């Protein structure tokens, strides 16, 4: 045993594994749908981390938002599946965002 008063270094374990998040833009969904409703729709296609509906409207007047998925292996394939979602008689528009978020040390990033 180490001497009295010495500290023992312990590595902390994160609670969740570091898995990459993949974000998609979506629009063209019913006005009656909220975050919980969209969560249920998107959860059929993968592990949803977050659904965010933006309070503003798009240039075309549609509500829009972003959904984040955990651990997506094939982004193009998932985008194709999501782009085929029908809610009632409305076909959702789902796309990977055109721009990545930027940090202070990075400039604007285009995909």
């Amino acid at each position: 045993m180490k001497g009295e008063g010495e500290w023992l270094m312990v590595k902390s374990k994160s609670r969740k594994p570091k898995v990459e998040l993949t974000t998609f833009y979506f629009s063209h969904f019913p006005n009656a749908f909220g975050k919980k409703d969209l969560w249920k729709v998107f959860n059929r296609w993968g592990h949803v981390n977050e659904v965010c509906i933006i309070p503003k409207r798009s240039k075309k007047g549609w509500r829009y938002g972003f959904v984040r998925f955990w651990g997506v292996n094939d982004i193009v394939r998932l985008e194709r599946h999501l782009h085929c979602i029908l809610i009632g008689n409305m076909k959702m528009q789902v796309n990977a965002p055109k721009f990545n978020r930027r940090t202070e040390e990075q400039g604007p990033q285009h995909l």
Side-chain angles (χ1 to χ4, degrees), residues 2 4 9 14 21 33 46 59 65 69 72 82-83 85 87:
K2 293 193 174 193
E4 288 284 324
M9 294 297 287
S14 63
L21 293 174
F33 267 57
K59 290 179 184 178
F69 289 93
V72 175
L82 294 175
H83 199 67
I85 295 175
I87 301 175

Side-chain angles (χ1 to χ4, degrees), residues 45-108:
W45 303 106
H47 299 288
V48 176
N49 172 264
E50 179 181 22
V51 174
C52 178
I53 300 173
I54 308 301
K56 296 180 181 180
R57 301 256 176 171
S58 71
K59 290 179 184 178
K60 295 181 179 181
W62 292 105
R63 293 171 65 206
Y64 69 97
F66 297 91
V67 60
R68 289 185 179 175
F69 289 93
W70 290 100
V72 175
N73 294 326
D74 190 349
I75 296 171
V76 175
R77 183 175 179 217
L78 179 58
E79 185 176 10
R80 271 190 270 132
H81 286 291
L82 294 175
H83 199 67
C84 295
I85 295 175
L86 287 170
I87 301 175
N89 62 350
M90 298 179 79
K91 182 178 177 285
M92 287 189 70
Q93 302 293 317
V94 182
N95 299 72
K98 293 179 182 177
F99 301 97
N100 279 335
R101 292 182 132 189
R102 63 183 175 96
T103 60
E104 292 292 323
E105 58 272 354
Q106 298 172 334

Side-chain angles (χ1 to χ4, degrees), residues 6-66:
E6 287 186 33
W7 288 89
L8 178 63
M9 294 297 287
V10 178
K11 290 184 180 181
S12 65
K13 295 181 181 179
S14 63
R15 293 182 182 174
K16 292 184 179 180
K18 300 210 181 222
V19 178
E20 192 172 323
L21 293 174
T22 304
T23 305
F24 290 94
Y25 165 87
F26 64 89
S27 66
H28 205 261
F29 57 95
N31 287 328
F33 267 57
K35 286 169 58 171
K36 289 182 181 180
D37 301 312
L38 291 168
W39 186 289
K40 290 176 187 175
V41 170
F42 288 124
N43 205 36
R44 291 176 39 204
W45 303 106
H47 299 288
V48 176
N49 172 264
E50 179 181 22
V51 174
C52 178
I53 300 173
I54 308 301
K56 296 180 181 180
R57 301 256 176 171
S58 71
K59 290 179 184 178
K60 295 181 179 181
W62 292 105
R63 293 171 65 206
Y64 69 97
F66 297 91

